[in-house]
Structures are given as C-alpha cells and as structure tokens.
Amino acid sequence: MFSVKQLQRYKNYTVGDTLPELIQTVEQSMIDAYADASGDINPLHIDPEFAKTTIFGGTIAHGLLTLAFVSRVLSRWNWQGWAYGGELDIAFLGPVYPGNEVRVTAEIDHIEQREDGIYARCLIACYCGDKAVVKGFCVCRVG
Amino acid sequence: MADFVTYASLVEGDEFLHPPALFEVSQDAVNRYISATSDSTPELTELDADGDKIAPPMIAAVYVIDALRTRVGPPGGIHAKQQFTFHRPAKIGETLYTAAYVLKLYQRKGRNYVEMTTETKNQAGELITSGMITRIWGKE
C-alpha cells in the first residue's frame, strides 16, 4: 500500500507533470470528413447557410471531433492505460469554428491506488485562443 | 404526432433504445474515422495481443451517437457533457450493440436536461464501452 505522499510520484508519473500539447487546426473540410465518418450530418456542422440562422452564426465542429484530439494526446501518452480501462469525463463549454486552432492540454493532478492498480488522473482542457471549449478529466491506469 | 422524441415521453429508468442499436466495426469505418481525426497512434497500425486489428477508443463517439440518433429529440439539442469508460478497444469485424437508459430528467434555467447511460457490448456480450451523456433537449 502506497502512502499519499509516495503517490505524488509513481514511476515516471508525477503530480504536476504536463502531457505534450496537441495543436490542431480545424478546417471545414475536416468537419465534413468527420460528418461523413460518423454519420452525424446535422446541418449545423456542414451547411453554412443553415448554420448562419442559428445562434452560432456559422458552422461549428462536432464536439466529439474535439474529443478525438483529446484521445490522440492520451493515446500517445499512455496507450495501454487509455485504451484498456481509460475513463473520460468532460463538459463542452463552447463551439469550435472552421479555421480555429484547438490546443489540447493535460496535467496530472492526482495519482491514486485502487484495488487493481495505480491510476493517474489528468485535468484536461481544450482551448481556442484563450477560450476553453472543453474541460474535464481522464483517469488511466499507470501501474 | 411529433416526428421526434418528446421530453414528456421520457421516463427515468426507461430503456431508450428498443432493441439495442447495432454497429459493424468495419475496416472502412475505422479508416474513415482515423483519417477524419488525423489519428496517427502507432498501436492502431499494429495487431493487439490476440492478433486482431483494433479501432481507436474514441470511435465510441461514432457508435454511441449513431445508436442514440435512431431516436432523435427536437432540433436544437446540445451535447453538454460526456463520460466514457473504454473497457477495451473494439476489434475490426466485431458487431457492437449499444443500449441506452434514461438516468435523470431535470430542468435548469428553463431548459430540459436528459442524462442517459449507455453500454456497448460485442456479439459475445463482452463489455466494450460504457458511458453517460448529458443532453440539453431541443425546444419543442
């Protein structure tokens, strides 16, 4: 059994560590491709004329496309822990427009021992400029 | 009769999808998802421990939303929150069945909220993904 103090650092994982950021520009062509791949053809995402009539004033990316960027960051950081038992809990805070650059950040804020192993929790935030568009956390097994 | 699911028809604890929605994990579907999301995770080009080709965990966003889209609410709904637990990656060739249940109904700032749990299993009953989605229901 590890103490709370010992779990501030476990193997290569330390509370306060930041994961490598990902920056992804989202163009309308990417949104269209995601609509095709996911089958989510809501006109808010792919029809500029319709989208102009909504509160967003134009097309916006699928929120779950932004989560795909989060998944890329976590897959590179800890594939095994993410793909086999990873947990994600997020809120969508704002739209991503075509031409926006999405910056995905993650920081380890807690390491805990569960019955079956050691798990790290990361705070996750996605930004367009200074504005957060997604916030939440993930939990992945690290040992 | 509305051509969408009305908020008033939802009941906490009810099964939302009858029967669970089906999704075939084809190589084409996975390729299109990987291409659309620019995912270059090396493990996706390799075989897993069982010698199978696998899909990215977040393709759950496709099969879960695809399932929920079989019973749509009124236009203007917003996806507010999402939880996923990825029990293991889906494998190419598997057939997935997603069940959904209405967990909680509530109002906030004059808007209707729906929380649903989802559970996706393969054709053998193995759990692949579980989750919870919070939707702000569109105005009717």
Side-chain angles (χ1 to χ4, degrees), chain A residues 92-116:
Chain A
F92 296 105
L93 304 178
V96 175
Y97 290 95
N100 280 171
E101 204 172 64
V102 178
R103 183 167 59 92
V104 181
T105 67
E107 175 184 337
I108 299 174
D109 86 316
H110 183 70
I111 300 174
E112 65 181 14
Q113 185 165 20
R114 297 183 181 177
E115 280 187 8
D116 62 339

mmCIF file of all heavy atoms in Angstrom, chain A residues 92-116:
data_model
loop_
_atom_site.group_PDB
_atom_site.id
_atom_site.type_symbol
_atom_site.label_atom_id
_atom_site.label_comp_id
_atom_site.label_asym_id
_atom_site.label_seq_id
_atom_site.Cartn_x
_atom_site.Cartn_y
_atom_site.Cartn_z
ATOM 1 N N PHE A 92 -18.680 20.170 -22.567
ATOM 2 C CA PHE A 92 -18.460 21.023 -23.738
ATOM 3 C C PHE A 92 -18.849 22.450 -23.349
ATOM 4 O O PHE A 92 -19.991 22.703 -22.959
ATOM 5 C CB PHE A 92 -19.314 20.545 -24.917
ATOM 6 C CG PHE A 92 -18.955 19.169 -25.395
ATOM 7 C CD1 PHE A 92 -19.768 18.082 -25.095
ATOM 8 C CD2 PHE A 92 -17.804 18.949 -26.128
ATOM 9 C CE1 PHE A 92 -19.433 16.809 -25.530
ATOM 10 C CE2 PHE A 92 -17.466 17.669 -26.558
ATOM 11 C CZ PHE A 92 -18.279 16.598 -26.269
ATOM 12 N N LEU A 93 -17.909 23.369 -23.477
ATOM 13 C CA LEU A 93 -18.134 24.731 -22.982
ATOM 14 C C LEU A 93 -18.380 25.751 -24.085
ATOM 15 O O LEU A 93 -18.930 26.828 -23.827
ATOM 16 C CB LEU A 93 -16.930 25.179 -22.151
ATOM 17 C CG LEU A 93 -16.559 24.272 -20.979
ATOM 18 C CD1 LEU A 93 -15.319 24.796 -20.278
ATOM 19 C CD2 LEU A 93 -17.719 24.165 -20.004
ATOM 20 N N GLY A 94 -17.931 25.459 -25.279
ATOM 21 C CA GLY A 94 -18.090 26.439 -26.346
ATOM 22 C C GLY A 94 -17.807 25.831 -27.701
ATOM 23 O O GLY A 94 -17.242 24.735 -27.799
ATOM 24 N N PRO A 95 -18.198 26.546 -28.767
ATOM 25 C CA PRO A 95 -18.045 25.989 -30.111
ATOM 26 C C PRO A 95 -16.623 26.130 -30.660
ATOM 27 O O PRO A 95 -15.868 27.006 -30.253
ATOM 28 C CB PRO A 95 -19.011 26.836 -30.941
ATOM 29 C CG PRO A 95 -19.038 28.158 -30.237
ATOM 30 C CD PRO A 95 -18.874 27.856 -28.774
ATOM 31 N N VAL A 96 -16.312 25.244 -31.593
ATOM 32 C CA VAL A 96 -15.086 25.337 -32.388
ATOM 33 C C VAL A 96 -15.520 25.638 -33.818
ATOM 34 O O VAL A 96 -16.300 24.890 -34.400
ATOM 35 C CB VAL A 96 -14.283 24.021 -32.343
ATOM 36 C CG1 VAL A 96 -13.077 24.090 -33.283
ATOM 37 C CG2 VAL A 96 -13.845 23.707 -30.917
ATOM 38 N N TYR A 97 -15.028 26.761 -34.348
ATOM 39 C CA TYR A 97 -15.411 27.181 -35.696
ATOM 40 C C TYR A 97 -14.347 26.762 -36.714
ATOM 41 O O TYR A 97 -13.163 26.613 -36.364
ATOM 42 C CB TYR A 97 -15.575 28.698 -35.737
ATOM 43 C CG TYR A 97 -16.776 29.209 -34.972
ATOM 44 C CD1 TYR A 97 -16.645 29.637 -33.651
ATOM 45 C CD2 TYR A 97 -18.027 29.265 -35.564
ATOM 46 C CE1 TYR A 97 -17.746 30.106 -32.933
ATOM 47 C CE2 TYR A 97 -19.135 29.737 -34.860
ATOM 48 C CZ TYR A 97 -18.989 30.144 -33.548
ATOM 49 O OH TYR A 97 -20.080 30.595 -32.847
ATOM 50 N N PRO A 98 -14.742 26.616 -37.967
ATOM 51 C CA PRO A 98 -13.748 26.339 -39.011
ATOM 52 C C PRO A 98 -12.667 27.423 -38.995
ATOM 53 O O PRO A 98 -12.980 28.609 -38.869
ATOM 54 C CB PRO A 98 -14.569 26.401 -40.305
ATOM 55 C CG PRO A 98 -15.967 26.126 -39.900
ATOM 56 C CD PRO A 98 -16.118 26.677 -38.508
ATOM 57 N N GLY A 99 -11.431 27.011 -39.097
ATOM 58 C CA GLY A 99 -10.302 27.940 -39.046
ATOM 59 C C GLY A 99 -9.709 28.072 -37.656
ATOM 60 O O GLY A 99 -8.587 28.557 -37.499
ATOM 61 N N ASN A 100 -10.447 27.621 -36.626
ATOM 62 C CA ASN A 100 -9.919 27.687 -35.253
ATOM 63 C C ASN A 100 -8.766 26.702 -35.071
ATOM 64 O O ASN A 100 -8.753 25.618 -35.659
ATOM 65 C CB ASN A 100 -10.994 27.337 -34.219
ATOM 66 C CG ASN A 100 -11.939 28.471 -33.892
ATOM 67 O OD1 ASN A 100 -12.931 28.292 -33.210
ATOM 68 N ND2 ASN A 100 -11.647 29.668 -34.389
ATOM 69 N N GLU A 101 -7.853 27.095 -34.206
ATOM 70 C CA GLU A 101 -6.778 26.208 -33.793
ATOM 71 C C GLU A 101 -7.151 25.696 -32.400
ATOM 72 O O GLU A 101 -7.348 26.504 -31.494
ATOM 73 C CB GLU A 101 -5.477 27.018 -33.728
ATOM 74 C CG GLU A 101 -4.226 26.217 -33.878
ATOM 75 C CD GLU A 101 -3.025 27.142 -33.990
ATOM 76 O OE1 GLU A 101 -2.734 27.870 -33.018
ATOM 77 O OE2 GLU A 101 -2.376 27.131 -35.045
ATOM 78 N N VAL A 102 -7.264 24.395 -32.265
ATOM 79 C CA VAL A 102 -7.607 23.798 -30.964
ATOM 80 C C VAL A 102 -6.316 23.364 -30.281
ATOM 81 O O VAL A 102 -5.507 22.648 -30.874
ATOM 82 C CB VAL A 102 -8.541 22.583 -31.133
ATOM 83 C CG1 VAL A 102 -8.836 21.941 -29.774
ATOM 84 C CG2 VAL A 102 -9.842 22.988 -31.815
ATOM 85 N N ARG A 103 -6.146 23.817 -29.042
ATOM 86 C CA ARG A 103 -4.966 23.419 -28.261
ATOM 87 C C ARG A 103 -5.431 22.514 -27.134
ATOM 88 O O ARG A 103 -6.266 22.909 -26.318
ATOM 89 C CB ARG A 103 -4.281 24.668 -27.701
ATOM 90 C CG ARG A 103 -2.997 24.398 -26.921
ATOM 91 C CD ARG A 103 -2.227 25.697 -26.695
ATOM 92 N NE ARG A 103 -3.010 26.672 -25.961
ATOM 93 C CZ ARG A 103 -2.986 26.811 -24.633
ATOM 94 N NH1 ARG A 103 -2.214 26.032 -23.890
ATOM 95 N NH2 ARG A 103 -3.731 27.726 -24.028
ATOM 96 N N VAL A 104 -4.919 21.284 -27.114
ATOM 97 C CA VAL A 104 -5.327 20.302 -26.094
ATOM 98 C C VAL A 104 -4.236 20.235 -25.023
ATOM 99 O O VAL A 104 -3.068 19.983 -25.344
ATOM 100 C CB VAL A 104 -5.524 18.899 -26.706
ATOM 101 C CG1 VAL A 104 -5.970 17.908 -25.637
ATOM 102 C CG2 VAL A 104 -6.526 18.949 -27.848
ATOM 103 N N THR A 105 -4.633 20.485 -23.778
ATOM 104 C CA THR A 105 -3.669 20.433 -22.673
ATOM 105 C C THR A 105 -4.118 19.392 -21.649
ATOM 106 O O THR A 105 -5.319 19.123 -21.515
ATOM 107 C CB THR A 105 -3.561 21.798 -21.958
ATOM 108 O OG1 THR A 105 -4.799 22.076 -21.284
ATOM 109 C CG2 THR A 105 -3.268 22.917 -22.950
ATOM 110 N N ALA A 106 -3.162 18.824 -20.961
ATOM 111 C CA ALA A 106 -3.484 17.850 -19.905
ATOM 112 C C ALA A 106 -2.378 17.873 -18.854
ATOM 113 O O ALA A 106 -1.202 18.043 -19.192
ATOM 114 C CB ALA A 106 -3.630 16.450 -20.485
ATOM 115 N N GLU A 107 -2.795 17.746 -17.606
ATOM 116 C CA GLU A 107 -1.833 17.778 -16.497
ATOM 117 C C GLU A 107 -2.237 16.746 -15.452
ATOM 118 O O GLU A 107 -3.418 16.664 -15.087
ATOM 119 C CB GLU A 107 -1.827 19.188 -15.872
ATOM 120 C CG GLU A 107 -0.942 19.285 -14.638
ATOM 121 C CD GLU A 107 -1.024 20.657 -13.973
ATOM 122 O OE1 GLU A 107 -1.387 21.633 -14.651
ATOM 123 O OE2 GLU A 107 -0.731 20.726 -12.757
ATOM 124 N N ILE A 108 -1.268 15.984 -14.990
ATOM 125 C CA ILE A 108 -1.556 15.007 -13.930
ATOM 126 C C ILE A 108 -1.842 15.757 -12.634
ATOM 127 O O ILE A 108 -1.004 16.549 -12.183
ATOM 128 C CB ILE A 108 -0.370 14.044 -13.715
ATOM 129 C CG1 ILE A 108 -0.073 13.256 -14.986
ATOM 130 C CG2 ILE A 108 -0.654 13.106 -12.541
ATOM 131 C CD1 ILE A 108 1.178 12.381 -14.897
ATOM 132 N N ASP A 109 -3.019 15.552 -12.062
ATOM 133 C CA ASP A 109 -3.320 16.277 -10.823
ATOM 134 C C ASP A 109 -3.493 15.345 -9.628
ATOM 135 O O ASP A 109 -3.643 15.811 -8.499
ATOM 136 C CB ASP A 109 -4.553 17.175 -11.008
ATOM 137 C CG ASP A 109 -5.862 16.452 -10.759
ATOM 138 O OD1 ASP A 109 -5.997 15.308 -11.257
ATOM 139 O OD2 ASP A 109 -6.737 17.004 -10.070
ATOM 140 N N HIS A 110 -3.494 14.032 -9.892
ATOM 141 C CA HIS A 110 -3.731 13.116 -8.782
ATOM 142 C C HIS A 110 -3.283 11.713 -9.193
ATOM 143 O O HIS A 110 -3.498 11.310 -10.336
ATOM 144 C CB HIS A 110 -5.233 13.109 -8.455
ATOM 145 C CG HIS A 110 -5.615 12.263 -7.287
ATOM 146 N ND1 HIS A 110 -5.288 12.585 -5.990
ATOM 147 C CD2 HIS A 110 -6.314 11.100 -7.215
ATOM 148 C CE1 HIS A 110 -5.764 11.656 -5.181
ATOM 149 N NE2 HIS A 110 -6.388 10.749 -5.889
ATOM 150 N N ILE A 111 -2.668 10.996 -8.274
ATOM 151 C CA ILE A 111 -2.336 9.585 -8.502
ATOM 152 C C ILE A 111 -2.896 8.811 -7.320
ATOM 153 O O ILE A 111 -2.704 9.212 -6.157
ATOM 154 C CB ILE A 111 -0.811 9.370 -8.633
ATOM 155 C CG1 ILE A 111 -0.267 10.184 -9.818
ATOM 156 C CG2 ILE A 111 -0.485 7.882 -8.829
ATOM 157 C CD1 ILE A 111 1.254 10.154 -9.952
ATOM 158 N N GLU A 112 -3.610 7.745 -7.619
ATOM 159 C CA GLU A 112 -4.257 7.013 -6.524
ATOM 160 C C GLU A 112 -4.100 5.508 -6.706
ATOM 161 O O GLU A 112 -3.882 5.020 -7.822
ATOM 162 C CB GLU A 112 -5.746 7.354 -6.459
ATOM 163 C CG GLU A 112 -6.528 6.886 -7.686
ATOM 164 C CD GLU A 112 -8.001 7.258 -7.607
ATOM 165 O OE1 GLU A 112 -8.360 8.088 -6.765
ATOM 166 O OE2 GLU A 112 -8.781 6.702 -8.399
ATOM 167 N N GLN A 113 -4.220 4.814 -5.596
ATOM 168 C CA GLN A 113 -4.173 3.355 -5.627
ATOM 169 C C GLN A 113 -5.578 2.812 -5.525
ATOM 170 O O GLN A 113 -6.351 3.200 -4.632
ATOM 171 C CB GLN A 113 -3.325 2.830 -4.465
ATOM 172 C CG GLN A 113 -3.130 1.332 -4.514
ATOM 173 C CD GLN A 113 -2.007 0.866 -3.595
ATOM 174 O OE1 GLN A 113 -1.623 1.560 -2.673
ATOM 175 N NE2 GLN A 113 -1.490 -0.310 -3.877
ATOM 176 N N ARG A 114 -5.931 1.958 -6.476
ATOM 177 C CA ARG A 114 -7.208 1.242 -6.408
ATOM 178 C C ARG A 114 -6.906 -0.232 -6.174
ATOM 179 O O ARG A 114 -5.733 -0.633 -6.164
ATOM 180 C CB ARG A 114 -7.992 1.421 -7.711
ATOM 181 C CG ARG A 114 -8.388 2.867 -8.009
ATOM 182 C CD ARG A 114 -9.227 2.953 -9.281
ATOM 183 N NE ARG A 114 -9.586 4.328 -9.595
ATOM 184 C CZ ARG A 114 -10.262 4.680 -10.693
ATOM 185 N NH1 ARG A 114 -10.632 3.755 -11.582
ATOM 186 N NH2 ARG A 114 -10.564 5.941 -10.919
ATOM 187 N N GLU A 115 -7.955 -1.023 -6.016
ATOM 188 C CA GLU A 115 -7.760 -2.451 -5.720
ATOM 189 C C GLU A 115 -6.908 -3.149 -6.771
ATOM 190 O O GLU A 115 -6.112 -4.034 -6.466
ATOM 191 C CB GLU A 115 -9.117 -3.160 -5.624
ATOM 192 C CG GLU A 115 -9.795 -2.950 -4.289
ATOM 193 C CD GLU A 115 -11.053 -3.788 -4.155
ATOM 194 O OE1 GLU A 115 -11.308 -4.638 -5.035
ATOM 195 O OE2 GLU A 115 -11.770 -3.582 -3.166
ATOM 196 N N ASP A 116 -7.063 -2.732 -8.039
ATOM 197 C CA ASP A 116 -6.389 -3.448 -9.124
ATOM 198 C C ASP A 116 -5.180 -2.723 -9.680
ATOM 199 O O ASP A 116 -4.610 -3.171 -10.685
ATOM 200 C CB ASP A 116 -7.383 -3.736 -10.256
ATOM 201 C CG ASP A 116 -7.942 -2.461 -10.867
ATOM 202 O OD1 ASP A 116 -7.886 -1.416 -10.195
ATOM 203 O OD2 ASP A 116 -8.410 -2.509 -12.013
#
